[in-house]
Amino acid sequence: MADTHLDRDVLSALQEVMEDGYPELLDTFLSDSEERLSLLRQVDDADRLGATAHSFKGSSSNMGATRLAELCHELEQRAKEKKLEGIEALVGEIDGEFAIVRPLYEAERQRSLAE
C-alpha cells in the first residue's frame, strides 16, 4: 500500500542527507502540509489556490509523497485554467491522500528516532 503513496527511495536519500535533522524535516513537512490543507479548504481565489497547490506539490514531491504531489499538480493546473467548478472534490481527494500518508510519515519519524 505504501508504495503508491510514498517513494521510500526519496525518504532514504533524505535521511542520508539530513542525518540527525531527518525527524525534524518530517515534522516540518507534516505541520506545513496541515497549514496548506487548511488554506486549500478555504481559498476561493484561483491565483491563491494555484500558488498554495504549487507549494504543496513541491514539498510533497520533495518528500516522496508521489500521489499527493500528483493531486496537487492537478489542482494547480485547474486553478491556472480558472476551472474551479467542482474543485471541492479535488481538495477532498488531497485531504484524503494526506490522511493516508500522515501516519506513514509519523511511523517513519518513529523508526528514524529509534535508530
Side-chain angles (χ1 to χ4, degrees):
M1 174 175 131
D3 296 345
T4 60
H5 302 283
L6 287 185
D7 184 334
R8 299 282 177 187
D9 292 338
V10 170
L11 292 179
S12 294
L14 285 170
Q15 184 173 17
E16 198 172 298
V17 170
M18 295 298 296
E19 296 177 351
D20 292 343
Y22 182 63
E24 186 179 340
L25 176 68
L26 295 170
D27 285 342
T28 300
F29 172 69
L30 290 173
S31 64
D32 286 354
S33 295
E34 289 285 350
E35 288 177 35
R36 289 182 178 117
L37 265 174
S38 179
L39 280 172
L40 289 180
R41 288 185 201 112
Q42 24 182 317
V43 171
D44 56 2
D45 170 75
D47 293 333
R48 285 190 51 214
L49 188 66
T52 303
H54 176 78
S55 175
F56 201 3
K57 175 191 74 176
S59 65
S60 297
S61 179
N62 290 340
M63 292 298 294
T66 50
R67 178 75 181 131
L68 190 57
E70 290 168 6
L71 290 168
C72 290
H73 175 73
E74 186 179 335
L75 180 59
E76 179 186 14
Q77 293 308 307
R78 288 193 44 196
K80 275 184 187 173
E81 297 165 6
K82 310 284 193 229
K83 295 181 180 175
L84 300 186
E85 188 175 312
I87 207 82
E88 298 84 11
L90 184 51
V91 171
E93 278 189 70
I94 291 169
D95 212 348
E97 180 61 19
F98 184 70
I100 291 169
V101 298
R102 180 183 188 88
L104 298 175
Y105 282 104
E106 289 168 346
E108 175 67 10
R109 182 183 183 283
Q110 291 306 313
R111 185 200 60 75
S112 70
L113 288 172
E115 286 184 350

